[in-house]
Amino acid sequence: MKNVLFVASECTPFIKTGGLADVIGSLPQALKENERIEVRVILPLYDEIPLEWRNQMEFHMSFNVPLGWRNSEASIYTLKYNNIIYYFVSNTYYFTRKGVYGYYDDGERFLFFSRAVIEALTHLDFKPDVLHAHDWQAGMAVALAKILQPITDMKTVMTIHNIKYQGLMPIEIFEDFFDLSREHISGFEWNGMLNCLKSGLFHADKITTVSPSYGEEIKNPYYGEELHPFLLERSADLIGVLNGIDTKEYNPQTDSSIAVNYRSSRAKKKENKMMIQKKLGLPIAAGKPLYIIITRLVEQKGLHLVQHILDDFLHEDVQFIILGTGDAEFETFFAEAANCHPKKLVTLLAFDEGLARQLYASADFFVMPSKFEPCGLAQLIALQYKTVPIVRETGGLKDTVLPFNEITGEGNGFSFTNYNADDLLATLRYSLRIYHDSLQWSVLAKNVNKSQFSWQDSAREYANIYEQLMPINV
Ligand code: GLC
Protein backbone atom coordinates (compact mmCIF):
# COMPACT_ATOMS: atom_id res chain seq x y z
CA MET A 1 0.00 0.00 0.00
CA LYS A 2 1.32 3.45 -0.92
CA ASN A 3 0.28 6.62 0.87
CA VAL A 4 -0.52 9.88 -0.89
CA LEU A 5 -1.30 13.15 0.89
CA PHE A 6 -3.24 15.80 -1.06
CA VAL A 7 -2.50 19.36 0.03
CA ALA A 8 -5.08 21.89 -1.15
CA SER A 9 -6.98 25.02 -0.19
CA GLU A 10 -10.51 23.83 -0.98
CA CYS A 11 -12.49 20.60 -1.29
CA THR A 12 -16.14 19.68 -1.73
CA PRO A 13 -18.33 19.15 0.25
CA PHE A 14 -16.57 21.24 2.91
CA ILE A 15 -15.56 24.42 1.14
CA LYS A 16 -15.74 25.49 -2.50
CA THR A 17 -15.02 28.57 -4.58
CA GLY A 18 -14.27 26.84 -7.90
CA GLY A 19 -13.44 23.73 -9.89
CA LEU A 20 -10.40 22.95 -7.72
CA ALA A 21 -12.75 21.97 -4.89
CA ASP A 22 -14.59 19.49 -7.14
CA VAL A 23 -11.35 17.82 -8.16
CA ILE A 24 -10.02 17.56 -4.60
CA GLY A 25 -13.42 16.22 -3.54
CA SER A 26 -13.74 13.54 -6.21
CA LEU A 27 -10.25 12.40 -7.30
CA PRO A 28 -9.41 10.70 -3.94
CA GLN A 29 -12.69 8.80 -4.22
CA ALA A 30 -11.69 7.56 -7.67
CA LEU A 31 -8.18 6.66 -6.50
CA LYS A 32 -9.68 4.64 -3.67
CA GLU A 33 -10.75 2.06 -6.25
CA ASN A 34 -7.06 1.35 -6.69
CA GLU A 35 -6.34 -0.86 -3.72
CA ARG A 36 -2.63 -0.11 -3.72
CA ILE A 37 -3.07 3.58 -2.98
CA GLU A 38 -4.46 5.35 0.06
CA VAL A 39 -5.15 9.06 -0.33
CA ARG A 40 -5.73 11.47 2.53
CA VAL A 41 -6.36 15.20 2.19
CA ILE A 42 -5.11 18.14 4.26
CA LEU A 43 -6.92 21.51 4.16
CA PRO A 44 -7.11 24.75 6.15
CA LEU A 45 -9.87 24.84 8.75
CA TYR A 46 -11.75 27.94 7.59
CA ASP A 47 -14.46 29.45 9.70
CA GLU A 48 -16.53 29.35 6.53
CA ILE A 49 -16.76 25.51 6.63
CA PRO A 50 -20.35 24.80 7.72
CA LEU A 51 -20.93 23.80 11.36
CA GLU A 52 -22.51 20.59 10.17
CA TRP A 53 -18.96 19.44 9.24
CA ARG A 54 -17.03 21.19 11.97
CA ASN A 55 -19.16 19.48 14.61
CA GLN A 56 -18.04 16.10 13.31
CA MET A 57 -14.32 16.84 13.44
CA GLU A 58 -12.10 15.37 16.11
CA PHE A 59 -9.14 17.10 17.68
CA HIS A 60 -5.94 15.25 16.82
CA MET A 61 -3.00 17.34 18.11
CA SER A 62 -1.39 20.78 18.38
CA PHE A 63 2.15 21.84 17.59
CA ASN A 64 4.32 24.84 17.04
CA VAL A 65 4.84 26.23 13.52
CA PRO A 66 8.03 28.27 13.06
CA LEU A 67 7.69 31.12 10.54
CA GLY A 68 10.96 33.05 10.58
CA TRP A 69 11.04 34.96 13.87
CA ARG A 70 7.36 34.14 14.52
CA ASN A 71 6.00 31.09 16.23
CA SER A 72 2.38 30.19 15.68
CA GLU A 73 0.38 27.27 16.88
CA ALA A 74 -1.50 24.90 14.61
CA SER A 75 -4.01 22.26 15.62
CA ILE A 76 -5.00 19.33 13.46
CA TYR A 77 -8.58 18.11 13.37
CA THR A 78 -9.66 14.99 11.52
CA LEU A 79 -12.84 13.89 9.84
CA LYS A 80 -13.67 10.68 8.02
CA TYR A 81 -16.11 11.13 5.16
CA ASN A 82 -16.96 8.51 2.52
CA ASN A 83 -14.05 6.44 3.80
CA ILE A 84 -11.46 9.14 3.18
CA ILE A 85 -9.57 10.76 6.05
CA TYR A 86 -9.38 14.55 5.97
CA TYR A 87 -7.01 16.62 8.11
CA PHE A 88 -7.82 20.24 8.84
CA VAL A 89 -5.18 22.75 9.94
CA SER A 90 -6.62 25.22 12.41
CA ASN A 91 -5.23 28.60 13.41
CA THR A 92 -7.56 31.32 14.62
CA TYR A 93 -5.51 34.26 13.41
CA TYR A 94 -5.18 33.04 9.80
CA PHE A 95 -8.40 31.13 9.16
CA THR A 96 -11.12 32.42 11.47
CA ARG A 97 -12.28 34.97 8.92
CA LYS A 98 -15.19 35.39 6.56
CA GLY A 99 -14.79 33.78 3.14
CA VAL A 100 -11.80 31.91 1.82
CA TYR A 101 -9.52 34.23 -0.18
CA GLY A 102 -9.19 37.94 -0.87
CA TYR A 103 -7.21 39.13 2.17
CA TYR A 104 -4.15 41.40 1.93
CA ASP A 105 -2.13 38.69 3.68
CA ASP A 106 -3.31 35.67 1.65
CA GLY A 107 0.31 34.93 0.79
CA GLU A 108 1.27 34.76 4.46
CA ARG A 109 -1.83 32.71 5.31
CA PHE A 110 -0.91 29.98 2.85
CA LEU A 111 2.78 30.12 3.74
CA PHE A 112 1.64 29.33 7.25
CA PHE A 113 -0.64 26.55 5.97
CA SER A 114 2.17 24.98 3.92
CA ARG A 115 4.67 25.25 6.78
CA ALA A 116 2.10 23.68 9.14
CA VAL A 117 1.58 20.77 6.72
CA ILE A 118 5.33 20.06 6.75
CA GLU A 119 5.42 20.23 10.55
CA ALA A 120 2.37 17.97 10.78
CA LEU A 121 4.09 15.28 8.71
CA THR A 122 6.40 14.46 11.60
CA HIS A 123 3.42 14.01 13.96
CA LEU A 124 0.70 12.38 11.86
CA ASP A 125 -0.30 8.74 12.06
CA PHE A 126 0.17 8.65 8.26
CA LYS A 127 3.51 8.69 6.42
CA PRO A 128 3.03 9.80 2.82
CA ASP A 129 5.15 8.28 0.08
CA VAL A 130 3.96 11.12 -2.15
CA LEU A 131 2.94 14.64 -1.23
CA HIS A 132 0.62 15.91 -3.96
CA ALA A 133 0.06 19.67 -3.82
CA HIS A 134 -2.55 21.61 -5.79
CA ASP A 135 -2.22 25.23 -6.99
CA TRP A 136 -0.15 28.06 -5.50
CA GLN A 137 -1.68 27.89 -2.03
CA ALA A 138 0.02 24.51 -1.52
CA GLY A 139 3.18 25.22 -3.54
CA MET A 140 5.37 26.09 -0.57
CA ALA A 141 4.59 22.71 1.00
CA VAL A 142 6.41 21.05 -1.92
CA ALA A 143 9.38 23.41 -1.65
CA LEU A 144 9.68 22.91 2.11
CA ALA A 145 9.22 19.14 1.81
CA LYS A 146 12.19 19.01 -0.55
CA ILE A 147 14.43 21.22 1.54
CA LEU A 148 13.49 20.23 5.10
CA GLN A 149 12.93 16.52 4.35
CA PRO A 150 10.39 15.78 7.10
CA ILE A 151 10.13 12.26 5.66
CA THR A 152 13.09 10.76 3.84
CA ASP A 153 12.38 9.53 0.32
CA MET A 154 8.98 11.24 0.14
CA LYS A 155 8.30 12.27 -3.48
CA THR A 156 6.32 15.31 -4.59
CA VAL A 157 3.81 16.15 -7.31
CA MET A 158 2.59 19.67 -8.05
CA THR A 159 -0.63 20.15 -10.05
CA ILE A 160 -1.47 23.39 -11.82
CA HIS A 161 -5.23 23.97 -11.94
CA ASN A 162 -4.82 27.55 -13.11
CA ILE A 163 -1.47 29.17 -13.85
CA LYS A 164 -2.92 32.67 -13.70
CA TYR A 165 -2.79 32.62 -9.92
CA GLN A 166 0.76 32.22 -8.61
CA GLY A 167 0.83 33.67 -5.09
CA LEU A 168 3.30 36.55 -5.56
CA MET A 169 4.98 38.34 -2.66
CA PRO A 170 7.95 40.69 -2.21
CA ILE A 171 11.16 38.67 -2.23
CA GLU A 172 12.07 40.03 1.25
CA ILE A 173 9.44 37.60 2.62
CA PHE A 174 11.95 34.80 2.02
CA GLU A 175 14.21 35.91 4.83
CA ASP A 176 11.39 37.14 6.98
CA PHE A 177 9.40 33.90 6.96
CA PHE A 178 11.86 31.10 6.38
CA ASP A 179 14.91 29.99 8.28
CA LEU A 180 16.64 28.80 5.13
CA SER A 181 20.05 29.61 3.80
CA ARG A 182 20.19 32.14 0.93
CA GLU A 183 21.34 29.50 -1.57
CA HIS A 184 17.69 28.41 -1.75
CA ILE A 185 16.38 31.80 -2.89
CA SER A 186 16.67 31.09 -6.62
CA GLY A 187 14.23 28.18 -6.32
CA PHE A 188 11.60 30.46 -4.80
CA GLU A 189 12.10 33.53 -6.98
CA TRP A 190 10.69 34.44 -10.36
CA ASN A 191 10.96 37.84 -12.04
CA GLY A 192 12.14 39.40 -8.80
CA MET A 193 9.21 38.19 -6.72
CA LEU A 194 8.68 35.37 -4.27
CA ASN A 195 6.41 33.06 -6.27
CA CYS A 196 4.55 30.26 -4.42
CA LEU A 197 3.55 28.35 -7.54
CA LYS A 198 7.02 28.46 -9.06
CA SER A 199 8.54 27.40 -5.72
CA GLY A 200 6.35 24.30 -5.82
CA LEU A 201 7.03 23.58 -9.50
CA PHE A 202 10.78 24.05 -9.07
CA HIS A 203 11.02 21.57 -6.21
CA ALA A 204 8.45 19.02 -7.45
CA ASP A 205 9.50 15.64 -8.82
CA LYS A 206 6.59 15.70 -11.27
CA ILE A 207 4.39 18.51 -12.55
CA THR A 208 0.90 17.86 -13.77
CA THR A 209 -1.87 20.01 -15.12
CA VAL A 210 -5.51 19.30 -15.76
CA SER A 211 -5.65 18.65 -19.50
CA PRO A 212 -3.14 17.64 -22.19
CA SER A 213 -3.84 20.75 -24.30
CA TYR A 214 -3.33 23.12 -21.38
CA GLY A 215 -0.09 21.26 -20.63
CA GLU A 216 1.13 22.31 -24.08
CA GLU A 217 -0.38 25.80 -24.01
CA ILE A 218 1.35 26.92 -20.82
CA LYS A 219 4.73 26.43 -22.45
CA ASN A 220 3.83 29.40 -24.68
CA PRO A 221 3.81 33.10 -23.80
CA TYR A 222 0.07 33.61 -24.53
CA TYR A 223 -1.00 31.13 -21.84
CA GLY A 224 2.10 30.76 -19.68
CA GLU A 225 1.60 33.86 -17.48
CA GLU A 226 5.37 34.44 -17.62
CA LEU A 227 6.24 30.97 -16.34
CA HIS A 228 6.50 29.49 -19.86
CA PRO A 229 10.32 29.50 -20.07
CA PHE A 230 10.51 27.61 -16.81
CA LEU A 231 7.88 25.07 -17.93
CA LEU A 232 9.61 24.57 -21.27
CA GLU A 233 12.74 23.65 -19.37
CA ARG A 234 10.78 21.15 -17.26
CA SER A 235 8.83 19.75 -20.25
CA ALA A 236 10.00 16.22 -19.58
CA ASP A 237 8.39 16.27 -16.12
CA LEU A 238 5.15 18.00 -17.17
CA ILE A 239 2.09 15.84 -17.84
CA GLY A 240 -1.49 16.87 -18.67
CA VAL A 241 -4.11 14.59 -17.10
CA LEU A 242 -7.71 15.39 -17.97
CA ASN A 243 -10.06 15.91 -15.03
CA GLY A 244 -13.20 13.85 -14.75
CA ILE A 245 -16.45 14.51 -12.96
CA ASP A 246 -18.31 12.46 -10.43
CA THR A 247 -20.85 10.75 -12.67
CA LYS A 248 -22.88 9.48 -9.72
CA GLU A 249 -23.22 12.98 -8.37
CA TYR A 250 -24.10 14.49 -11.76
CA ASN A 251 -26.67 12.08 -13.09
CA PRO A 252 -29.93 13.30 -14.67
CA GLN A 253 -31.50 9.91 -13.92
CA THR A 254 -31.21 10.36 -10.18
CA ASP A 255 -30.65 14.10 -9.59
CA SER A 256 -33.25 15.17 -7.02
CA SER A 257 -32.90 18.88 -7.85
CA ILE A 258 -34.46 18.55 -11.28
CA ALA A 259 -38.17 18.40 -12.09
CA VAL A 260 -38.18 15.40 -14.45
CA ASN A 261 -35.46 12.75 -14.34
CA TYR A 262 -34.26 11.29 -17.63
CA ARG A 263 -31.45 9.32 -19.21
CA SER A 264 -31.28 10.80 -22.68
CA SER A 265 -34.89 11.56 -23.61
CA ARG A 266 -35.18 14.88 -25.45
CA ALA A 267 -38.91 14.93 -24.64
CA LYS A 268 -38.17 14.83 -20.92
CA LYS A 269 -35.55 17.51 -21.29
CA LYS A 270 -38.29 19.63 -22.88
CA GLU A 271 -40.51 19.09 -19.85
CA ASN A 272 -37.69 20.43 -17.70
CA LYS A 273 -37.35 23.33 -20.11
CA MET A 274 -41.01 24.29 -19.75
CA MET A 275 -40.76 24.15 -15.95
CA ILE A 276 -37.80 26.51 -15.95
CA GLN A 277 -39.44 28.85 -18.48
CA LYS A 278 -42.44 29.05 -16.18
CA LYS A 279 -40.33 29.53 -13.06
CA LEU A 280 -38.27 32.33 -14.59
CA GLY A 281 -41.11 34.08 -16.44
CA LEU A 282 -39.98 33.29 -19.96
CA PRO A 283 -42.56 32.47 -22.66
CA ILE A 284 -43.36 28.75 -22.33
CA ALA A 285 -42.34 27.11 -25.59
CA ALA A 286 -40.85 23.62 -25.60
CA GLY A 287 -39.47 23.96 -29.13
CA LYS A 288 -37.61 27.23 -28.59
CA PRO A 289 -33.86 26.65 -28.37
CA LEU A 290 -32.54 27.47 -24.90
CA TYR A 291 -28.92 28.59 -24.45
CA ILE A 292 -27.37 28.86 -21.00
CA ILE A 293 -24.21 30.16 -19.36
CA ILE A 294 -23.34 29.04 -15.84
CA THR A 295 -20.07 30.47 -14.58
CA ARG A 296 -18.14 32.76 -12.32
CA LEU A 297 -18.54 36.09 -14.10
CA VAL A 298 -14.84 36.75 -14.80
CA GLU A 299 -12.80 37.58 -17.88
CA GLN A 300 -11.31 34.06 -18.14
CA LYS A 301 -14.71 32.71 -19.15
CA GLY A 302 -14.81 34.70 -22.40
CA LEU A 303 -17.61 36.99 -21.29
CA HIS A 304 -16.25 39.95 -23.25
CA LEU A 305 -17.05 37.99 -26.40
CA VAL A 306 -20.57 37.32 -25.17
CA GLN A 307 -21.01 41.04 -24.34
CA HIS A 308 -20.17 41.96 -27.92
CA ILE A 309 -22.65 39.69 -29.65
CA LEU A 310 -25.46 39.11 -27.16
CA ASP A 311 -27.73 41.77 -28.57
CA ASP A 312 -27.24 40.49 -32.13
CA PHE A 313 -27.85 36.90 -31.18
CA LEU A 314 -31.00 37.77 -29.25
CA HIS A 315 -32.52 38.95 -32.55
CA GLU A 316 -32.83 35.26 -33.35
CA ASP A 317 -35.78 33.24 -32.07
CA VAL A 318 -33.97 31.92 -28.97
CA GLN A 319 -33.97 32.10 -25.18
CA PHE A 320 -30.89 32.69 -23.06
CA ILE A 321 -30.28 32.27 -19.31
CA ILE A 322 -27.15 33.39 -17.48
CA LEU A 323 -26.41 32.20 -13.94
CA GLY A 324 -23.43 33.32 -11.88
CA THR A 325 -21.79 35.96 -9.75
CA GLY A 326 -18.52 37.79 -10.16
CA ASP A 327 -17.07 41.04 -11.45
CA ALA A 328 -19.35 44.08 -11.20
CA GLU A 329 -18.67 44.91 -14.86
CA PHE A 330 -20.34 41.69 -16.01
CA GLU A 331 -23.05 41.60 -13.36
CA THR A 332 -24.24 45.07 -14.39
CA PHE A 333 -24.01 44.36 -18.10
CA PHE A 334 -25.96 41.11 -18.04
CA ALA A 335 -28.57 42.46 -15.60
CA GLU A 336 -29.20 45.46 -17.88
CA ALA A 337 -29.27 43.29 -20.99
CA ALA A 338 -31.97 41.15 -19.37
CA ASN A 339 -34.04 44.28 -18.72
CA CYS A 340 -33.82 45.15 -22.42
CA HIS A 341 -34.86 41.64 -23.55
CA PRO A 342 -37.36 40.45 -20.91
CA LYS A 343 -38.86 37.77 -23.17
CA LYS A 344 -35.57 36.29 -24.25
CA LEU A 345 -32.90 36.76 -21.59
CA VAL A 346 -32.89 36.05 -17.87
CA THR A 347 -29.86 36.96 -15.74
CA LEU A 348 -29.60 35.35 -12.32
CA LEU A 349 -26.83 36.87 -10.21
CA ALA A 350 -26.50 33.97 -7.83
CA PHE A 351 -24.41 30.94 -6.93
CA ASP A 352 -27.09 28.29 -6.69
CA GLU A 353 -26.21 24.62 -7.18
CA GLY A 354 -29.83 23.40 -7.39
CA LEU A 355 -30.81 26.01 -9.95
CA ALA A 356 -27.64 25.25 -11.92
CA ARG A 357 -28.68 21.61 -12.19
CA GLN A 358 -32.20 22.58 -13.31
CA LEU A 359 -30.65 24.71 -16.05
CA TYR A 360 -28.30 21.94 -17.21
CA ALA A 361 -31.33 19.65 -17.39
CA SER A 362 -33.49 22.15 -19.32
CA ALA A 363 -31.13 23.67 -21.84
CA ASP A 364 -30.33 22.71 -25.40
CA PHE A 365 -26.95 24.48 -25.49
CA PHE A 366 -24.27 25.33 -22.93
CA VAL A 367 -22.07 28.28 -23.92
CA MET A 368 -18.46 28.45 -22.63
CA PRO A 369 -16.19 30.57 -24.89
CA SER A 370 -13.28 30.79 -22.41
CA LYS A 371 -10.21 32.87 -23.11
CA PHE A 372 -8.26 30.07 -21.46
CA GLU A 373 -9.52 26.97 -19.66
CA PRO A 374 -7.15 24.57 -17.88
CA CYS A 375 -9.81 21.85 -17.92
CA GLY A 376 -13.29 23.16 -17.32
CA LEU A 377 -15.83 21.00 -15.55
CA ALA A 378 -19.04 22.75 -16.57
CA GLN A 379 -18.89 21.50 -20.17
CA LEU A 380 -18.54 17.95 -18.80
CA ILE A 381 -21.55 18.41 -16.55
CA ALA A 382 -23.49 19.82 -19.52
CA LEU A 383 -22.68 16.69 -21.55
CA GLN A 384 -23.84 14.51 -18.64
CA TYR A 385 -27.20 16.31 -18.82
CA LYS A 386 -27.25 15.89 -22.64
CA THR A 387 -26.83 19.59 -23.26
CA VAL A 388 -24.73 20.49 -26.29
CA PRO A 389 -21.57 22.47 -25.41
CA ILE A 390 -20.46 25.46 -27.49
CA VAL A 391 -16.85 26.27 -26.60
CA ARG A 392 -13.67 27.96 -27.69
CA GLU A 393 -10.91 25.52 -28.63
CA THR A 394 -8.61 25.98 -25.67
CA GLY A 395 -7.23 23.76 -22.89
CA GLY A 396 -9.62 21.15 -21.59
CA LEU A 397 -12.47 22.47 -23.74
CA LYS A 398 -10.51 21.44 -26.82
CA ASP A 399 -9.81 18.01 -25.31
CA THR A 400 -13.44 17.23 -24.45
CA VAL A 401 -15.59 18.89 -27.12
CA LEU A 402 -15.18 17.73 -30.69
CA PRO A 403 -16.88 20.09 -33.19
CA PHE A 404 -19.84 18.62 -35.02
CA ASN A 405 -19.14 17.72 -38.62
CA GLU A 406 -22.20 17.37 -40.85
CA ILE A 407 -20.36 15.29 -43.44
CA THR A 408 -18.79 12.69 -41.18
CA GLY A 409 -21.46 12.86 -38.46
CA GLU A 410 -18.77 13.16 -35.79
CA GLY A 411 -18.64 15.60 -32.90
CA ASN A 412 -20.41 16.26 -29.61
CA GLY A 413 -20.65 20.06 -29.69
CA PHE A 414 -19.60 23.24 -31.45
CA SER A 415 -16.36 25.15 -31.24
CA PHE A 416 -14.33 27.99 -32.71
CA THR A 417 -10.61 28.72 -32.63
CA ASN A 418 -9.84 32.42 -32.32
CA TYR A 419 -10.74 34.62 -29.38
CA ASN A 420 -13.04 36.66 -31.57
CA ALA A 421 -16.66 37.70 -31.00
CA ASP A 422 -17.68 37.32 -34.68
CA ASP A 423 -16.51 33.70 -34.62
CA LEU A 424 -18.58 33.06 -31.50
CA LEU A 425 -21.64 34.61 -33.16
CA ALA A 426 -21.15 32.54 -36.32
CA THR A 427 -20.82 29.38 -34.20
CA LEU A 428 -23.98 30.19 -32.23
CA ARG A 429 -25.88 30.75 -35.50
CA TYR A 430 -24.53 27.51 -36.89
CA SER A 431 -25.71 25.64 -33.78
CA LEU A 432 -29.17 27.13 -34.32
CA ARG A 433 -29.24 25.88 -37.89
CA ILE A 434 -28.35 22.34 -36.76
CA TYR A 435 -31.00 22.54 -34.02
CA HIS A 436 -33.66 23.11 -36.69
CA ASP A 437 -32.33 20.36 -38.96
CA SER A 438 -33.92 17.35 -37.29
CA LEU A 439 -31.76 14.80 -39.07
CA GLN A 440 -28.44 16.42 -38.16
CA TRP A 441 -29.69 17.26 -34.67
CA SER A 442 -30.44 13.63 -33.95
CA VAL A 443 -26.95 12.58 -35.08
CA LEU A 444 -25.44 15.21 -32.78
CA ALA A 445 -27.70 14.18 -29.89
CA LYS A 446 -26.56 10.57 -30.24
CA ASN A 447 -22.91 11.66 -30.04
CA VAL A 448 -23.67 13.74 -26.96
CA ASN A 449 -25.36 10.76 -25.33
CA LYS A 450 -22.22 8.71 -25.82
CA SER A 451 -19.83 11.28 -24.28
CA GLN A 452 -18.66 10.30 -20.80
CA PHE A 453 -15.93 11.84 -18.71
CA SER A 454 -15.71 9.88 -15.50
CA TRP A 455 -12.63 9.82 -13.29
CA GLN A 456 -11.66 6.23 -14.03
CA ASP A 457 -9.07 6.79 -16.75
CA SER A 458 -7.58 9.86 -15.12
CA ALA A 459 -7.29 8.14 -11.73
CA ARG A 460 -5.37 5.37 -13.45
CA GLU A 461 -2.98 7.95 -14.93
CA TYR A 462 -2.36 9.52 -11.52
CA ALA A 463 -1.81 6.09 -10.00
CA ASN A 464 0.83 5.44 -12.70
CA ILE A 465 2.55 8.72 -11.92
CA TYR A 466 2.72 7.85 -8.20
CA GLU A 467 3.95 4.36 -8.88
CA GLN A 468 6.71 5.60 -11.18
CA LEU A 469 7.92 7.98 -8.50
CA MET A 470 7.99 5.57 -5.62
CA PRO A 471 11.06 3.55 -4.86
CA ILE A 472 10.55 -0.13 -5.59
CA ASN A 473 9.86 -2.20 -2.47
CA VAL A 474 12.51 -4.75 -1.60
C1 GLC B 1 -9.53 25.72 -12.24
C2 GLC B 1 -9.57 25.89 -13.75
C3 GLC B 1 -10.59 24.94 -14.41
C4 GLC B 1 -10.36 23.52 -13.90
C5 GLC B 1 -10.38 23.49 -12.37
C6 GLC B 1 -10.13 22.11 -11.80
O1 GLC B 1 -10.70 26.23 -11.67
O2 GLC B 1 -9.87 27.25 -14.12
O3 GLC B 1 -10.45 24.97 -15.81
O4 GLC B 1 -11.37 22.68 -14.40
O5 GLC B 1 -9.39 24.36 -11.87
O6 GLC B 1 -8.91 21.55 -12.20
Side-chain angles (χ1 to χ4, degrees):
M1 176 73 92
K2 296 293 182 187
N3 293 339
V4 179
L5 182 67
F6 272 27
V7 186
S9 58
E10 46 184 280
C11 173
T12 53
F14 313 113
I15 187 89
K16 167 171 171 171
T17 74
L20 171 65
D22 292 301
V23 174
I24 306 304
S26 50
L27 177 55
Q29 294 290 343
L31 280 163
K32 204 169 63 185
E33 313 286 310
N34 182 328
E35 272 133 32
R36 283 167 304 165
I37 293 174
E38 174 168 2
V39 185
R40 298 190 182 183
V41 183
I42 189 160
L43 303 155
L45 180 53
Y46 308 101
D47 213 31
E48 197 78 1
I49 295 179
L51 261 185
E52 144 199 21
W53 298 113
R54 280 192 286 145
N55 286 339
Q56 294 177 44
M57 295 178 188
E58 279 175 30
F59 174 77
H60 193 48
M61 64 190 167
S62 288
F63 48 83
N64 183 50
V65 180
L67 268 184
W69 53 268
R70 301 156 195 78
N71 270 307
S72 294
E73 204 184 58
S75 301
I76 302 280
Y77 289 79
T78 59
L79 173 66
K80 196 168 180 181
Y81 170 72
N82 270 348
N83 270 324
I84 304 271
I85 295 187
Y86 296 88
Y87 299 106
F88 292 88
V89 175
S90 137
N91 174 287
T92 319
Y93 174 67
Y94 289 120
F95 299 122
T96 308
R97 304 182 185 187
K98 212 178 143 15
V100 179
Y101 314 123
Y103 288 93
Y104 76 96
D105 60 348
D106 276 0
E108 179 180 335
R109 295 169 72 214
F110 291 101
L111 278 188
F112 166 81
F113 170 62
S114 297
R115 186 72 187 80
V117 169
I118 296 307
E119 211 54 37
L121 287 175
T122 56
H123 301 283
L124 289 182
D125 51 345
F126 181 74
K127 293 254 166 299
D129 299 287
V130 177
L131 181 111
H132 186 166
H134 299 264
D135 271 355
W136 77 263
Q137 292 89 346
M140 285 297 178
V142 172
L144 295 172
K146 249 315 166 275
I147 297 168
L148 302 176
Q149 297 270 328
I151 296 176
T152 32
D153 291 336
M154 184 175 72
K155 301 293 181 191
T156 52
V157 178
M158 178 85 224
T159 295
I160 305 168
H161 294 262
N162 192 340
I163 204 164
K164 193 170 175 65
Y165 305 101
Q166 301 178 5
L168 301 182
M169 283 174 273
I171 193 69
E172 290 71 33
I173 296 274
F174 180 82
E175 291 197 334
D176 195 15
F177 277 84
F178 298 120
D179 250 343
L180 301 174
S181 81
R182 284 191 63 89
E183 64 173 306
H184 291 297
I185 263 200
S186 61
F188 288 70
E189 183 266 352
W190 192 251
N191 290 342
M193 301 289 280
L194 186 81
N195 184 316
C196 293
L197 181 63
K198 188 258 169 163
S199 305
L201 298 172
F202 180 86
H203 293 90
D205 295 307
K206 275 275 178 228
I207 300 172
T208 77
T209 187
V210 289
S211 69
S213 286
Y214 193 61
E216 290 304 316
E217 287 171 353
I218 54 179
K219 289 186 244 168
N220 295 307
Y222 183 79
Y223 292 101
E225 300 287 335
E226 296 185 19
L227 280 177
H228 54 282
F230 171 80
L231 290 165
L232 253 183
E233 220 175 282
R234 290 290 304 271
S235 269
D237 295 317
L238 169 61
I239 309 166
V241 182
L242 199 64
N243 285 332
I245 51 168
D246 184 337
T247 48
K248 279 197 217 102
E249 177 65 33
Y250 294 109
N251 180 354
Q253 279 182 282
T254 52
D255 190 334
S256 58
S257 323
I258 68 179
V260 184
N261 289 107
Y262 60 95
R263 190 166 60 89
S264 56
S265 156
R266 292 275 144 193
K268 288 192 179 155
K269 261 182 90 64
K270 283 191 174 143
E271 287 179 43
N272 281 303
K273 190 197 284 186
M274 291 193 291
M275 303 286 278
I276 209 85
Q277 288 168 329
K278 184 157 180 242
K279 180 168 168 172
L280 301 180
L282 284 168
I284 300 172
K288 219 174 269 276
L290 174 60
Y291 291 74
I292 58 168
I293 291 179
I294 302 176
T295 184
R296 273 182 301 125
L297 300 174
V298 294
E299 192 193 359
Q300 174 191 342
K301 301 298 174 178
L303 298 172
H304 284 131
L305 300 188
V306 180
Q307 276 185 328
H308 266 89
I309 54 96
L310 189 59
D311 205 55
D312 272 344
F313 188 57
L314 289 174
H315 280 107
E316 307 285 347
D317 191 15
V318 296
Q319 293 182 342
F320 218 114
I321 302 174
I322 299 174
L323 171 65
T325 58
D327 295 351
E329 171 197 359
F330 297 121
E331 291 199 351
T332 315
F333 177 86
F334 289 117
E336 280 172 9
N339 287 338
C340 298
H341 301 275
K343 293 215 162 74
K344 292 192 166 179
L345 172 66
V346 173
T347 298
L348 302 155
L349 299 176
F351 180 87
D352 184 330
E353 179 75 24
L355 192 54
R357 287 159 181 260
Q358 289 165 21
L359 293 177
Y360 283 118
S362 311
D364 299 293
F365 297 100
F366 183 79
V367 183
M368 193 168 177
S370 302
K371 193 167 188 189
F372 66 92
E373 198 59 72
C375 178
L377 301 172
Q379 84 279 16
L380 305 182
I381 302 173
L383 284 165
Q384 272 291 107
Y385 287 76
K386 318 304 177 206
T387 301
V388 179
I390 300 176
V391 304
R392 191 170 92 80
E393 288 152 18
T394 181
L397 297 174
K398 187 171 164 187
D399 293 341
T400 54
V401 179
L402 183 69
F404 182 62
N405 180 324
E406 287 173 73
I407 320 272
T408 64
E410 289 172 321
N412 59 354
F414 296 91
S415 64
F416 61 101
T417 309
N418 294 319
Y419 193 67
N420 176 315
D422 289 335
D423 292 356
L424 170 61
L425 183 58
T427 310
L428 288 170
R429 289 195 169 129
Y430 177 49
S431 72
L432 197 56
R433 177 158 80 66
I434 297 295
Y435 179 85
H436 291 299
D437 178 335
S438 56
L439 212 65
Q440 295 289 3
W441 180 248
S442 73
V443 176
L444 172 59
K446 272 198 199 105
N447 296 344
V448 166
N449 295 349
K450 278 188 277 182
S451 305
Q452 266 255 349
F453 295 94
S454 73
W455 269 111
Q456 259 171 5
D457 295 339
S458 318
R460 207 170 304 124
E461 281 192 61
Y462 280 110
N464 284 340
I465 294 171
Y466 301 146
E467 278 166 12
Q468 278 168 22
L469 281 174
M470 289 174 201
I472 296 158
N473 282 335
V474 270

